[in-house]
Amino acid sequence: MTTHKGFDPQAFRAALGTFTTGVTIITTRTPDGEAIGITANSFNSVSLNPPLVLWSLAKNARSLQAFSSAKHWNVHVLSADQEPLSGRFARQGEDKFAGLELDDGISKAPLLKDCTARFQCRTAFSYDGGDHVIFVGEVLAYDHSDLPPLVFQSGQYALAARKPREEVRLGATPPPECSYTEDLLGYLLGRAHYQMLFALRQLLNTQALDERSFFVLSVLSIRDRLTLNELNAFIAYTGMLATDESMASLESQRLVALETHDGEERYVLTADGREASLRQIALAKAVEEDIAAKLGAGDAMALKLLLKRLIASSDPGMPDLWSPR
Amino acid sequence: MTTHKGFDPQAFRAALGTFTTGVTIITTRTPDGEAIGITANSFNSVSLNPPLVLWSLAKNARSLQAFSSAKHWNVHVLSADQEPLSGRFARQGEDKFAGLELDDGISKAPLLKDCTARFQCRTAFSYDGGDHVIFVGEVLAYDHSDLPPLVFQSGQYALAARKPREEVRLGATPPPECSYTEDLLGYLLGRAHYQMLFALRQLLNTQALDERSFFVLSVLSIRDRLTLNELNAFIAYTGMLATDESMASLESQRLVALETHDGEERYVLTADGREASLRQIALAKAVEEDIAAKLGAGDAMALKLLLKRLIASSDPGMPDLWSPR
């Protein structure tokens, strides 16, 4: 760490940005009724009794006049799905409220929907804060939902991956000479994958199918009429390959059929095959809902986000299953 | 959302808690030299020019006198690994600074090590904030490191899973009638697992080994001298089982040996087997380091945390590989 004493604003901002915050939109209305709103992450709680919160606004902000003369303003703690709204209220020169349905609040200040929490405030104090004004508001009414909140850290939006009070440990602490620990990402991914597969595998047993057949049916349910080579291009990442023999077995179970198009042999799902695949996907979704309920909605979103980033950053060049032909 | 107007302090605190924050420790020194420090998440930035930050302290806090009379105080934005320090400075009645090495700062206020960022401040203003005092400090010096910051949300510690500016999409948007999408957790876990396995599989090919053998060697590298049944209890979660034949093949490759202990046949790793396993683990670690570098250290920590929580919440009752016998 190099200690900075001179004030390079960019370096100072980078240091400040490491302090994680939620994202809020703060709204008010001008005396002539114009709706005003800005995105701010300088919000924080101050006092319980009386209930006070604060935020700061740049003295050169266009909205300073409106907030300085308004008695009432509302703070909206944004939910993860409101990221586009955060961007909209951070920009200038568009009608920020266009198309937004508003709730009725205790004042005329606009009250947005679908937030994680909302605080309807009346200015208690406004204090000098250098190039900003610090607004301290008394909270007159508030509410909150279960929607996972949007997070901001070092200039990027984020989701919170919450740590339980007790450290999560899967097993005993290995002796120091053991080079294989439960902290290996590869171990964790493999074990998570196989545990998620547990219920599916039991269904596959009742369907007299193996894992390879599951991947084959899944691919055909997204993209029908594939040659064996095309099919294998989509499942090769699993290390499993369909063969003429394994496909013949699915044919004999009447789950796939072989058709000839333009002189090429292509596999299609039968109605039975589609139904078998739908049952597998329905089960996978049920397992996922169960997991999401245990982790919490925000944490499940965070897990999916991180897995997508991992997949995107380690993709050996897989063809896009969902791309239009 | 139910709108609250009466002030149930617990409900109000729950609503405020949805606003995510970092965690800071703020330190100062009394005139007679006693080191003072408290955990606070009411920190925020205020002004760039002059550089100002703020935080609030309860009027009934033991440390109010010290912070009110001190000119200088330091704000430490805690890193993810400093969670224990956060707990220590949030409690009363222990010597919070015991055993902590301090850095030299520009004032006598204690300056802690290994933080994500530090701001050395001099009180610029102190303002009334209901049952709290709002301290606004001019930042005289600051520094920051690359350590991922600790996050706090709804009364729990957390890590941030950052969202890139562009949405992460693995493929084209599927048509609405497609029930199988890239958003399925099972698909994401499977694909992440298999992509992580990609490099390992190439190594296994050069070692003339299959995935099942990889799991067998891994288990034996952690826990030696297992019967076939014991071995299978540890790898059953993968859906693969070792057989007398598959073990005989590893024996013929001189990677494992069969020994008789107390009349029971038990498998042990040979020196060659241990070396083959070490090479596999070294490769897995190299792949992991590459991924962690691409995701960022904090995001990689968050991913592991979430995978552990998923595994713990969906564990069908696996024996602990690392437990002492």
Side-chain angles (χ1 to χ4, degrees):
Chain A
M1 305 226 272
T2 325
T3 302
H4 300 268
K5 293 189 186 170
F7 272 83
D8 171 5
Q10 227 175 330
F12 184 51
R13 229 178 289 200
L16 288 172
T18 64
F19 183 78
T20 310
T21 63
V23 182
T24 71
I25 287 176
I26 304 176
T27 58
T28 192
R29 213 173 272 280
T30 61
D32 55 4
E34 191 196 347
I36 302 286
I38 54 151
T39 302
N41 69 338
S42 60
F43 173 78
N44 222 320
S45 55
V46 180
S47 168
L48 282 182
N49 183 20
L52 301 178
V53 297
L54 65 74
W55 61 289
S56 337
L57 181 62
K59 285 180 180 168
N60 64 6
R62 285 161 170 242
S63 55
L64 183 72
Q65 173 71 42
F67 282 107
S68 297
S69 56
K71 254 195 194 158
H72 291 94
W73 35 269
N74 295 332
V75 179
H76 307 81
V77 176
L78 298 191
S79 64
D81 288 335
Q82 289 179 311
E83 185 184 321
L85 217 54
S86 166
R88 191 206 283 203
F89 278 81
R91 283 187 298 268
Q92 285 184 348
E94 56 180 307
D95 179 3
K96 297 175 176 179
F97 292 89
L100 290 183
E101 249 190 282
L102 299 176
D103 276 341
D104 282 332
I106 59 167
S107 74
K108 289 187 176 160
L111 193 58
L112 306 176
K113 287 175 178 290
D114 303 323
C115 304
T116 296
R118 304 186 294 193
F119 301 93
Q120 301 184 56
C121 306
R122 178 174 57 202
T123 303
F125 312 104
S126 63
Y127 291 133
D128 184 20
D131 58 20
H132 280 59
V133 175
I134 302 165
F135 287 98
V136 180
E138 185 183 358
V139 181
L140 303 178
Y142 66 94
D143 53 10
H144 83 110
S145 71
D146 289 331
L147 297 171
L150 187 60
V151 173
F152 197 67
Q153 184 185 88
S154 294
Q156 281 185 59
Y157 293 111
L159 296 165
R162 290 175 304 161
K163 299 170 90 167
R165 271 170 224 287
E166 301 292 315
E167 195 192 353
V168 191
R169 289 207 57 83
L170 305 175
T173 307
E177 73 274 14
C178 183
S179 55
Y180 196 118
T181 77
E182 67 170 41
D183 246 354
L184 260 182
L185 185 56
Y187 170 74
L188 293 172
L189 274 174
R191 188 157 158 194
H193 164 66
Y194 289 119
Q195 282 188 196
M196 287 285 283
L197 220 56
F198 185 76
L200 183 63
R201 226 182 251 138
Q202 294 176 305
L203 173 62
L204 292 175
N205 278 342
T206 71
Q207 294 178 323
L209 292 172
D210 58 12
E211 253 172 85
R212 174 169 57 180
S213 305
F214 163 68
F215 287 111
V216 167
L217 296 181
S218 297
V219 166
L220 289 175
S221 80
I222 299 169
R223 229 166 221 263
D224 221 349
R225 272 188 312 192
L226 297 177
T227 65
L228 186 63
N229 281 341
E230 288 169 347
L231 189 54
N232 276 330
F234 289 117
I235 67 169
Y237 78 97
T238 66
M240 300 173 218
L241 286 179
T243 61
D244 288 324
E245 293 70 41
S246 73
M247 294 307 292
S249 153
L250 288 175
E251 271 188 278
S252 72
Q253 290 177 278
R254 299 184 186 282
L255 299 172
V256 305
L258 196 55
E259 293 180 356
T260 305
H261 293 267
D262 302 332
E264 275 194 312
E265 296 198 313
R266 293 177 172 276
Y267 288 100
V268 296
L269 273 190
T270 64
D272 282 359
R274 192 161 297 278
E275 202 196 303
S277 179
L278 280 175
R279 282 179 59 196
Q280 293 158 7
I281 294 168
L283 180 71
K285 286 187 176 169
V287 169
E288 169 167 350
E289 271 171 34
D290 185 48
I291 292 283
K294 284 175 179 158
L295 291 183
D299 300 280
M301 280 172 76
L303 176 56
K304 285 183 181 184
L305 168 68
L306 290 168
L307 288 172
K308 283 187 196 176
R309 288 181 54 203
L310 181 152
I311 291 165
S313 73
S314 65
D315 186 351
M318 262 182 64
D320 179 3
L321 243 175
W322 288 277
S323 74
R325 309 210 194 204
Chain B
M1 306 226 274
T2 325
T3 301
H4 301 266
K5 293 189 187 171
F7 272 83
D8 171 6
Q10 225 173 332
F12 184 52
R13 228 178 292 202
L16 288 172
T18 64
F19 184 79
T20 311
T21 63
V23 183
T24 70
I25 287 175
I26 304 177
T27 58
T28 191
R29 212 175 274 277
T30 62
D32 56 3
E34 192 195 346
I36 303 284
I38 54 151
T39 301
N41 68 339
S42 60
F43 173 78
N44 222 318
S45 55
V46 180
S47 168
L48 281 182
N49 183 21
L52 301 177
V53 296
L54 66 73
W55 61 289
S56 339
L57 182 63
K59 285 180 180 166
N60 64 7
R62 286 163 169 240
S63 54
L64 183 73
Q65 172 72 44
F67 281 106
S68 297
S69 56
K71 256 196 195 156
H72 290 96
W73 35 269
N74 296 332
V75 179
H76 308 81
V77 176
L78 298 190
S79 64
D81 288 335
Q82 289 180 311
E83 186 182 320
L85 217 54
S86 167
R88 191 206 283 201
F89 278 81
R91 285 187 297 269
Q92 284 185 350
E94 57 180 304
D95 180 2
K96 297 174 175 180
F97 292 90
L100 290 184
E101 247 190 281
L102 300 176
D103 276 341
D104 283 330
I106 59 167
S107 74
K108 287 187 176 161
L111 192 58
L112 307 175
K113 287 175 180 290
D114 303 321
C115 304
T116 296
R118 303 187 295 194
F119 301 93
Q120 300 184 56
C121 305
R122 179 174 58 201
T123 302
F125 311 104
S126 62
Y127 291 133
D128 184 19
D131 59 19
H132 280 59
V133 176
I134 302 164
F135 287 98
V136 179
E138 183 182 358
V139 180
L140 302 178
Y142 65 95
D143 53 10
H144 82 110
S145 72
D146 290 331
L147 297 172
L150 186 60
V151 174
F152 197 67
Q153 184 185 88
S154 293
Q156 281 187 56
Y157 293 111
L159 296 166
R162 291 175 303 161
K163 298 169 91 167
R165 271 171 223 286
E166 300 292 315
E167 194 193 353
V168 191
R169 290 206 59 81
L170 305 175
T173 307
E177 73 274 13
C178 183
S179 54
Y180 197 118
T181 76
E182 67 170 42
D183 246 354
L184 262 180
L185 185 56
Y187 169 72
L188 292 172
L189 275 173
R191 188 156 158 196
H193 164 66
Y194 289 119
Q195 282 188 195
M196 287 285 284
L197 220 58
F198 185 77
L200 183 63
R201 225 182 251 136
Q202 294 176 304
L203 173 61
L204 292 174
N205 278 341
T206 70
Q207 293 178 323
L209 293 171
D210 58 12
E211 253 173 85
R212 173 169 58 180
S213 305
F214 162 68
F215 287 111
V216 167
L217 296 181
S218 297
V219 166
L220 288 176
S221 80
I222 299 169
R223 227 164 223 265
D224 221 348
R225 271 189 310 195
L226 297 176
T227 66
L228 186 62
N229 281 341
E230 288 170 346
L231 190 53
N232 276 330
F234 288 118
I235 68 169
Y237 78 97
T238 66
M240 300 173 217
L241 286 179
T243 61
D244 288 325
E245 293 70 40
S246 74
M247 294 306 292
S249 153
L250 288 175
E251 272 187 277
S252 72
Q253 289 178 277
R254 299 185 187 281
L255 299 173
V256 305
L258 196 55
E259 293 181 356
T260 304
H261 293 268
D262 302 332
E264 276 195 311
E265 294 197 316
R266 293 179 170 275
Y267 288 100
V268 295
L269 272 190
T270 63
D272 281 359
R274 192 160 296 279
E275 202 196 304
S277 179
L278 281 175
R279 282 180 59 196
Q280 293 158 7
I281 295 167
L283 180 70
K285 286 187 175 169
V287 170
E288 169 167 350
E289 272 172 35
D290 186 46
I291 293 283
K294 283 174 180 158
L295 291 183
D299 301 279
M301 281 172 76
L303 177 57
K304 286 183 180 184
L305 168 69
L306 291 168
L307 288 172
K308 282 187 195 175
R309 287 182 53 204
L310 182 152
I311 292 166
S313 73
S314 65
D315 186 351
M318 262 182 62
D320 180 2
L321 244 175
W322 288 277
S323 73
R325 312 209 192 205

